[in-house]
Every structure is written in C-alpha cells, then in structure tokens.
Amino acid sequence: MPTIVIHQMGRAARTSSFAGTSLRVGRDPAANDLALPGSTVSREHLVIQKGTDGRWSVRCVSETNPIVVDGAMTASSAFLAEGSEILVGTEYLLIFSETAVTAQGYLGQGYFSNAECSGCHWTGMVSTLRRAPVCPRCGGRDLAFEVQYRPETSSQKAMDDSTTAVDARQVRAQLSRLREAKRSHLVRIDPHEPGSPRKALSETEALTIGKTADCRFRLFGFSIGSGIRITWEQSHYVARGSMFWPSMKVNGAAAKVATLTNGDVIEVGGNRFRFVTE
C-alpha cells in the first residue's frame, strides 16, 4: 500500500498509508485526504496520483506556493520514485514509498534540516543525505543549515485561516534580525563590576543575571528571587524576570516579561543594564 512519511521540524516523523490511486494533500481537512496544518501550506496544495502506465507522480494545485520534488522546484508536476522527497511549504517534507514496510526506513530524525540559500534567500527543508544539495530556486550550492530536529512538547498550533506565501522579502527580514541579534550586547551601567561591564548575547544560549556563580552578570544588594533570563525568541530578545523583590523594571516600568529594543534599560534595585545593538 502506498505510504507517505511526514517529516516536520521539531516533531517525530509519522506515516500515512492510503488505498486507491490518488491522495490529495493540503491544509483544509475537509478538502484533502491528508491535512497538513501550517500557514505556508495551501488549502489544496498537491495531488499524488498513479497513471495508467503504473507510474506515480505529484501535481501541484496551489496557485500561491509551488512544491519542491527531489530538490527541484515546480508549480506543475513531476514523476515520483521510491524515496522521492516532496517539500510542502517550508514546514513539511514528505517521502513517497510504495509500501508501508519500505516506508519504515525513512523515519529517522537525522535525515533533514532547515536550510537557507545565501544567494536568493530561499528557505526550507532539505535532505542531509544528498551529497551536494542545491537551492531549488536559483541552483546555488551555498546553503546554511540550521540545527536538525528540535523536539518540542507544546501542542501543535491550530490551523490558520489564511495561506501565507513563501516570500523572499520575509526571509531577508528574518536574516536581518538574526544579523542584528549577533551584534547585541548587555552592558552594565552601574558602578558594580567595573572590569567586565559588557556581555555578548547569543541566539542559542540564555544570558542570566542573578546571585549564583554561573550567572553571566551578578546581582548586588539584597534581593529575593532567582534573577533574570534574556533569551532569543524567533525574532527578538526577551527579558524574563523571576524576582519577588525588588521587581525587574524595564525603562522604569515594572515588568515580568519584556521584548527588548536598542537602548532599553533593565533595573533590579541598584543594578542597571542597557540592551545595545551595534
């Protein structure tokens, strides 16, 4: 029985077998045999079907978002073979298998990674098993890979009402924010610790302010609470305070959570820090 292996970044791979000679795939459960929630998946995205000659193919039916079949972008159709890869939007990579038994071999979580082309800024999932993966949009080989599969325990987001086209401008905007993140620092602006007032921020590691020895910045004076964590969250840095007394303040206003912008001042009692993007 034909089987589709569904890979989604951050989630365990799963299979979906189907009887017959066609399978409709899209975001709308009422219109498709296989529903894939996600803003870059069209309501009716593609059809996998078996021809009169016995060959399987995939046809793109979305007018907004093309598909990528075995590394090549297409808005029309392409033939499928055992193990063919179909990228749907930027969130799902499907593997076609002619039997449920052979499909088990495509369930490994180390096969795929998010990547971005440095030339045209296309972004999506690509197979890390390919010896020399290329950008399906421009054919470039300069692909920057992100960390593979980061499992999450939160429930899956509800299906969006509208379709979001994969826009290169959005990708470039996100890239700009990431570059800005790499230039961000937290600077101590009070008289404490005059020898090391500046700490670089990282998208992958939280910066902590507290009383313990492992904190990047130390809190001086009497306080109750575990401190402050500054983390990168998709497109910006966020400060989260776990202070009972004195409370965390950002630009003079008490806050438990605050999105940081250039020049913001974080205070805890007599401790003061400025968020700086250079």
Side-chain angles (χ1 to χ4, degrees), residues 12 14 49 56 59 64 69 102 113 147 159 186 190 260:
R14 57 189 176 92
Q49 55 194 11
W56 288 93
R59 175 171 55 89
T64 306
V69 183
T102 54
S113 175
V147 177
M159 181 178 65
L186 198 67
D190 59 47
L260 300 176

Side-chain angles (χ1 to χ4, degrees), residues 17-97:
S17 298
F18 63 98
T21 58
S22 68
L23 178 77
R24 298 190 69 87
V25 180
R27 195 179 69 246
D28 187 353
N32 297 279
D33 305 303
L34 175 60
L36 302 177
S39 63
T40 60
V41 178
S42 297
R43 290 186 179 277
E44 297 180 52
H45 206 121
L46 62 90
V47 177
I48 296 173
Q49 55 194 11
K50 188 176 185 179
T52 56
D53 59 355
R55 297 184 68 183
W56 288 93
S57 63
V58 58
R59 175 171 55 89
C60 182
V61 298
S62 170
E63 296 180 353
T64 306
N65 294 322
I67 57 176
V68 177
V69 183
D70 291 330
M73 185 174 291
T74 179
S76 56
S77 63
F79 284 111
L80 298 176
E82 176 65 35
S84 283
E85 304 163 2
I86 308 166
L87 179 66
V88 186
T90 61
E91 303 166 66
Y92 295 91
L93 199 147
L94 313 181
I95 305 177
F96 174 79
S97 182

Side-chain angles (χ1 to χ4, degrees), residues 189 249-252 260-261 263-267 272-275:
I189 56 174
K249 293 182 179 180
V250 178
N251 298 329
L260 300 176
T261 58
D264 283 350
V265 174
I266 304 170
E267 299 177 62
R272 301 178 75 244
F273 308 90
R274 177 174 284 118
F275 175 77

Side-chain angles (χ1 to χ4, degrees), residues 66-148:
I67 57 176
V68 177
V69 183
D70 291 330
M73 185 174 291
T74 179
S76 56
S77 63
F79 284 111
L80 298 176
E82 176 65 35
S84 283
E85 304 163 2
I86 308 166
L87 179 66
V88 186
T90 61
E91 303 166 66
Y92 295 91
L93 199 147
L94 313 181
I95 305 177
F96 174 79
S97 182
E98 296 194 12
T99 71
V101 175
T102 54
Q104 297 301 308
Y106 307 121
L107 287 171
Q109 290 194 348
Y111 294 158
F112 304 101
S113 175
N114 268 342
E116 180 179 356
C117 176
S118 63
C120 69
H121 299 292
W122 174 88
T123 183
M125 293 173 70
V126 296
S127 172
T128 57
L129 297 181
R130 293 180 182 273
R131 182 168 297 178
V134 300
C135 172
R137 177 180 291 162
C138 70
R141 295 183 180 273
D142 189 6
L143 298 179
F145 291 88
E146 294 182 3
V147 177
Q148 298 175 356

Side-chain angles (χ1 to χ4, degrees), residues 188 192 210-211 218-224 243 245-246 268-271:
R188 183 183 282 275
H192 305 299
K211 292 277 193 179
R218 182 182 172 189
L219 283 179
F220 290 87
F222 180 75
S223 62
I224 303 174
M243 302 299 301
W245 190 91
V268 178
N271 301 272

Side-chain angles (χ1 to χ4, degrees), residues 7-21:
H7 285 267
Q8 183 183 10
M9 294 302 292
R11 302 186 185 280
R14 57 189 176 92
T15 62
S16 177
S17 298
F18 63 98
T21 58

